């Protein structure tokens, strides 16, 4: 059970993504664990076989409990026998501590005996420490007898404080998800700017006629427009898994919410397309409040079928977002700003909003993406129908 | 209710909305959104909270007056003052 923060004592294994006996390769998601920070996918960093599952779904175990045993390829074992001065333990999913390595991803990294260079030696203590800290023994210069690597060499190669970025759990979750997205997902990007004067005027009139607690923000309108548009563009709403793209049966828009002082979460607003603007605004308000207090539900974290990221009124013109795996699309909205806008032969000043789409090219193509963005713009032109 | 009371009230409501900002010194003329990293939802919540606490509606069109502490105090004092 990887540690995802100094305050984390235990986690629940939600499900195994691989079966016992299945071959696993570097980068595979092997399990999902639930912590008080949300559901986190656990990746494996070595090739091998998932020899034994030690924890069953639903079990809550303390940080450091081995979740599974992974055995390396045959040649690894022989390499070990040749070079280890004592029989090396079977590489197991290690027991990282808060101060071990770089967060959730690296925490599952098995010992790196497979990279041991020909002829180099390490004591068992050094080997153990290296595996705990995720150090590649091949890169360590030994100062022991005959140039063997001793514990002190590992300590010098990786002083505890220096190798341990004190990342907040949320930052680690972002790092894991975004690294995976950039590694695995062939993104394509589209952008389009709309004159949103219809939506802005409608919103001003609506808000003038309603008491403070019943007013709306433009963000509620853009979310609803995305949800309605997605009904005709199912290839952007769903998950990309081992068997390819699977469209979702409902539209749960993940809403990127920035934490003050850094960090980000994108929990779902369930069935976004079925909510009225007033309901959507209430849900958005509730969700933002809870996310910033750290109180969102794991279903809200694991359920989004697509994500929307809005920069709000203090942002910039546009953003080029990164898809949250296993989703296949994310839509970004820049800040609305007055711009010179051509209308037939004249130029007028209009409030302009730039929408961007990052989508997974394995699931969709740019032509359909362009139609989706245009549809969203068209829906914002008739805000009374949202 | 004097201006200092109103100032305290605004600061109290902001720290209820954004506890992280508690104790951050803010100038009367500073844009609260910049100084305290408040977004449009925070300003929305501030308008709702102040309306409820003071018992009168703050029109949406007046919300920009609350963007600075000084502007907010001026605005609320003007609304409360007997006509």
């Amino acid at each position: 059970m990887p540690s995802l923060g100094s305050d984390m004592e235990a986690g629940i294994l939600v499900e195994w993504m691989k079966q016992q006996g299945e071959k696993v390769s570097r980068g595979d998601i092997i399990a999902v664990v639930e912590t008080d920070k949300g559901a986190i996918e656990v990746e494996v960093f070595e090739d091998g076989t998932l020899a034994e599952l030690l924890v069953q779904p639903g079990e809550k175990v303390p940080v450091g409990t081995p979740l599974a045993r992974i055995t390396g390829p045959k040649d690894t074992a022989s390499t070990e026998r040749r070079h280890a001065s004592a029989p090396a333990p079977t590489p197991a999913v290690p027991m990282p501590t808060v101060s071990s390595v770089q967060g959730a991803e690296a925490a599952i990294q098995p010992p790196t005996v497979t990279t041991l260079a020909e002829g180099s030696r390490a004591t068992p203590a050094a080997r153990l420490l290296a595996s705990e800290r995720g150090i590649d023994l091949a890169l360590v210069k030994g100062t022991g007898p005959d140039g063997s690597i001793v514990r002190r060499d590992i300590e010098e190669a990786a002083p505890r404080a220096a190798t341990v970025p004190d990342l907040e759990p949320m930052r680690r979750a972002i790092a894991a998800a975004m690294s995976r997205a950039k590694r695995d997902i062939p993104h394509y990007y589209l952008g389009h700017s709309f004159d949103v004067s219809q939506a802005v005027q409608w919103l001003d009139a609506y808000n003038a006629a309603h008491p403070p607690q019943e007013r709306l923000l433009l963000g509620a309108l853009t979310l609803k427009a995305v949800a309605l548009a997605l009904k005709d563009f199912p290839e952007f709403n769903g998950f990309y898994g081992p068997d390819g793209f699977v469209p979702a049966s409902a539209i749960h828009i993940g809403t990127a919410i920035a934490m003050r002082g850094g960090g980000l979460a994108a929990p779902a607003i369930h069935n976004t397309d079925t909510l009225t603007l007033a309901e959507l605004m209430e849900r958005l308000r509730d969700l933002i409040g809870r996310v910033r207090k750290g109180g969102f539900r794991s279903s809200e974290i694991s359920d989004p079928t697509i994500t929307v990221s809005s920069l709000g009124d203090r942002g910039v013109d546009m953003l080029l977002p990164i898809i949250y795996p296993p989703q296949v699309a994310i839509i970004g909205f820049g800040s609305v700003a007055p711009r010179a806008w051509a209308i037939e032969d004249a130029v007028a000043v209009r409030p302009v909003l730039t929408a961007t789409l990052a989508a997974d090219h394995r699931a969709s193509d740019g032509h359909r993406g362009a139609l989706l963005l245009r549809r969203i713009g068209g829906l914002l032109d008739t805000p009374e129908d949202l | 209710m004097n201006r200092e009371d109103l100032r305290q009230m605004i600061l109290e409501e902001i720290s209820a909305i954004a506890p992280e900002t508690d104790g951050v010194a803010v100038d009367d003329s500073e844009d609260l959104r910049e100084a305290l990293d408040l977004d449009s939802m925070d300003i929305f919540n501030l308008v709702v909270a102040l309306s409820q606490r003071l018992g009168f509606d703050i029109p949406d069109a007046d919300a920009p007056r609350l963007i600075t502490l000084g502007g907010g105090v001026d605005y609320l004092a003007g609304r409360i003052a007997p006509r």
Side-chain angles (χ1 to χ4, degrees), chain A residues 207 212 215 260 285 292 314, chain B residues 37 39 42 45 57-58:
Chain A
N207 285 345
R215 289 175 195 154
R260 263 180 281 275
R285 194 179 170 204
R292 290 188 174 154
R314 285 192 304 123
Chain B
D37 197 14
D39 63 12
D42 297 320
N45 285 324
D57 180 22
I58 298 172

Side-chain angles (χ1 to χ4, degrees), chain A residues 183-256:
Chain A
R183 187 176 60 231
D184 294 347
I185 303 177
H187 288 65
Y188 68 88
Y189 301 92
L190 302 172
H192 196 59
S193 296
F194 317 111
D195 167 5
V196 286
S197 45
Q198 297 295 329
V200 169
Q201 283 166 21
W202 181 89
L203 191 64
D204 285 348
Y206 182 96
N207 285 345
H210 288 79
Q213 66 274 15
E214 292 174 22
R215 289 175 195 154
L216 302 173
L217 292 173
L218 187 67
L221 275 65
T222 51
L223 271 180
K224 186 69 186 290
V226 169
L228 292 179
L230 281 171
K231 290 177 161 195
D232 291 330
F233 294 87
E235 66 266 54
F236 296 93
N237 185 64
F239 304 107
Y240 195 94
D243 302 321
F245 174 65
V246 179
S249 54
I251 295 170
H252 305 316
I253 297 186
T255 308

Side-chain angles (χ1 to χ4, degrees), chain A residues 47-252:
Chain A
D47 298 331
T49 303
L50 201 52
E52 191 183 355
L53 305 181
L54 302 170
V55 174
Q56 297 310 308
E59 266 188 75
K60 183 172 187 173
V61 293
V63 165
T65 307
L67 296 178
R69 197 166 294 283
I70 296 171
T71 53
K74 245 192 183 133
D75 56 347
T76 305
S78 58
T79 305
E80 266 173 28
R81 272 197 295 277
R82 266 204 314 269
H83 297 293
S85 46
T90 308
V93 178
M95 294 153 277
T97 60
V98 180
S99 51
S100 63
V101 280
Q102 308 94 328
E105 279 201 319
I108 196 105
Q109 187 162 11
T112 49
V113 285
T114 51
T115 53
L116 189 59
E118 275 302 314
S120 64
R121 288 184 165 75
T123 64
R127 196 176 295 281
L128 181 66
L129 188 64
S131 77
E132 277 175 9
R133 299 198 183 176
I135 304 296
D136 187 341
L137 285 174
L139 304 176
V140 178
K141 187 178 180 346
T143 62
D146 301 328
S148 65
I149 298 166
V150 295
R151 191 179 162 92
R152 186 181 61 239
D153 298 326
I154 306 294
E155 281 170 348
E156 280 173 8
R160 214 150 247 254
T163 46
V164 184
D166 185 26
L167 293 180
E168 289 300 317
M170 184 171 279
R171 176 58 47 201
R172 295 183 191 186
I174 294 168
M178 296 298 99
S179 301
R180 183 179 156 205
K182 281 284 181 176
R183 187 176 60 231
D184 294 347
I185 303 177
H187 288 65
Y188 68 88
Y189 301 92
L190 302 172
H192 196 59
S193 296
F194 317 111
D195 167 5
V196 286
S197 45
Q198 297 295 329
V200 169
Q201 283 166 21
W202 181 89
L203 191 64
D204 285 348
Y206 182 96
N207 285 345
H210 288 79
Q213 66 274 15
E214 292 174 22
R215 289 175 195 154
L216 302 173
L217 292 173
L218 187 67
L221 275 65
T222 51
L223 271 180
K224 186 69 186 290
V226 169
L228 292 179
L230 281 171
K231 290 177 161 195
D232 291 330
F233 294 87
E235 66 266 54
F236 296 93
N237 185 64
F239 304 107
Y240 195 94
D243 302 321
F245 174 65
V246 179
S249 54
I251 295 170
H252 305 316

Side-chain angles (χ1 to χ4, degrees), chain A residues 203-204 207-208 210-217 258-262 281 284-285 288 292-293 312-314, chain B residues 16-21 31 33-34 36-42 44-45 47-48 51-52 57-60:
Chain A
L203 191 64
D204 285 348
N207 285 345
H210 288 79
Q213 66 274 15
E214 292 174 22
R215 289 175 195 154
L216 302 173
L217 292 173
M259 316 295 286
R260 263 180 281 275
M281 179 68 188
L284 195 57
R285 194 179 170 204
I288 291 175
R292 290 188 174 154
K293 291 182 173 72
D313 56 3
R314 285 192 304 123
Chain B
I17 293 162
E20 309 91 325
T21 67
D31 186 326
R33 298 170 302 175
E34 302 292 342
L36 302 178
D37 197 14
L38 303 184
D39 63 12
S40 48
M41 187 60 85
D42 297 320
F44 175 96
N45 285 324
V47 170
V48 171
S51 292
Q52 284 172 351
D57 180 22
I58 298 172
D60 194 45

Side-chain angles (χ1 to χ4, degrees), chain B residues 68-79:
Chain B
T68 65
L69 203 47
V73 171
D74 287 345
Y75 172 74
L76 296 179
R79 289 289 307 273

Side-chain angles (χ1 to χ4, degrees), chain A residues 233-363:
Chain A
F233 294 87
E235 66 266 54
F236 296 93
N237 185 64
F239 304 107
Y240 195 94
D243 302 321
F245 174 65
V246 179
S249 54
I251 295 170
H252 305 316
I253 297 186
T255 308
I257 296 169
M259 316 295 286
R260 263 180 281 275
L264 179 76
I269 292 180
H270 292 113
N271 303 303
T272 322
D273 55 318
T274 67
L275 302 174
T276 65
L277 286 175
E279 289 168 338
L280 193 46
M281 179 68 188
E282 191 47 47
R283 298 288 300 279
L284 195 57
R285 194 179 170 204
D286 167 63
L287 197 57
I288 291 175
R290 283 191 291 117
V291 164
R292 290 188 174 154
K293 291 182 173 72
F296 48 90
R297 295 180 276 269
S298 60
S299 70
E300 290 170 328
I301 283 297
S302 56
D303 282 354
T305 56
I306 185 172
T307 295
V308 168
S309 182
S310 301
L311 291 178
D313 56 3
R314 285 192 304 123
V316 292
D317 290 345
M318 62 179 290
L319 70 158
L320 296 170
I322 304 171
I323 298 166
Y324 277 81
Q327 296 165 42
V328 295
I330 178 167
I331 291 171
F333 290 105
S335 299
V336 174
R339 297 271 174 252
W341 193 255
I343 298 164
E344 295 183 356
D345 284 349
V347 174
V349 174
R350 291 294 176 90
V352 171
L353 171 65
T354 299
T356 48
L357 167 73
D360 186 335
H361 225 323
R362 297 172 300 183

